[in-house]
Amino acid sequence: MHLNRLITPDSILLLKEAGKTDTLGQLVSSVPEAASSLSGKEILEKLLAREELMSTGIGLGLGIPHIRAAGINTPVLRIGVQPKGIPDYESIDGLPVKILFMILLKEDQQREHVALLSEIVSLMKMEHLRNQLTAISSAQQGYDLLRDYLNGTTEQKV
């Protein structure tokens, strides 16, 4: 499973909220009902429980909230962009998180989970890509940008 198979224009959200719980709630509310037998409230509770173990704010303005759970029927990726940042995300570098990659996977998808986390981190190490992503004005623009990077049609500088 690769990012380019999970990213669609609908998977990109321009976040209106600025707090950690509210931004996660906005991402969860965009999950199609068919993707999970869990309610949005249950998914949010699981994400917040995961965040209590250790923040998924990994630095560089990036957060990767993720869960593997029974009740997830199909893999879900949502990418949220909050250019002003989410100051209460508790990132390991202390900086506000501006880009979220939310991953929801089936309970038995450990290998896919690790592969997606690795792919996201590798991609988002590129500062110019992070800067371009936080400057998008539409979901389609974010989708086009990421698709071009993932397909290798944009020059990739680290």
Side-chain angles (χ1 to χ4, degrees):
M1 177 180 319
H2 296 283
L3 281 175
N4 59 0
R5 292 185 182 161
L6 294 175
I7 294 177
T8 67
D10 291 337
S11 64
I12 316 277
L13 286 87
L14 301 176
L15 298 170
K16 298 173 187 164
E17 305 298 338
K20 182 177 190 175
T21 300
D22 292 336
T23 54
L24 290 176
Q26 188 177 347
L27 290 172
V28 168
S29 69
S30 73
V31 173
E33 284 185 34
S36 175
S37 60
L38 301 173
S39 70
K41 181 181 177 186
E42 290 170 312
I43 294 171
L44 181 58
E45 287 172 355
K46 289 181 180 300
L47 284 167
L48 292 173
R50 168 60 186 85
E51 289 295 322
E52 285 182 26
L53 294 174
M54 182 176 166
S55 176
T56 59
I58 64 168
L60 303 174
L62 183 63
I64 311 177
H66 55 278
I67 58 169
R68 287 182 296 112
I72 302 296
N73 302 325
T74 184
V76 174
L77 175 71
R78 290 294 180 262
I79 301 164
V81 178
Q82 174 44 276
K84 294 179 183 176
I86 305 162
D88 69 339
Y89 205 90
E90 302 168 328
S91 183
I92 61 170
D93 62 3
L95 297 174
V97 167
K98 295 181 177 185
I99 304 167
L100 292 172
F101 281 75
M102 181 184 76
I103 304 169
L104 308 177
L105 293 170
K106 297 177 185 181
E107 198 168 31
D108 64 351
Q109 292 186 295
Q110 298 93 334
R111 185 169 296 169
E112 295 88 344
H113 189 192
V114 173
L116 282 171
L117 290 171
S118 175
E119 191 174 359
I120 291 166
V121 170
S122 293
L123 182 69
M124 297 312 296
K125 281 183 179 179
M126 294 180 269
E127 181 179 11
H128 65 286
L129 173 57
R130 293 191 312 271
N131 291 339
Q132 288 177 308
L133 196 53
T134 56
I136 63 170
S137 57
S138 71
Q140 184 66 49
Q141 187 181 10
Y143 170 74
D144 292 342
L145 176 67
L146 289 169
R147 184 196 61 219
D148 289 348
Y149 272 89
L150 290 168
N151 291 335
T153 57
T154 297
E155 184 181 341
Q156 298 186 14
K157 308 178 240 176
V158 176

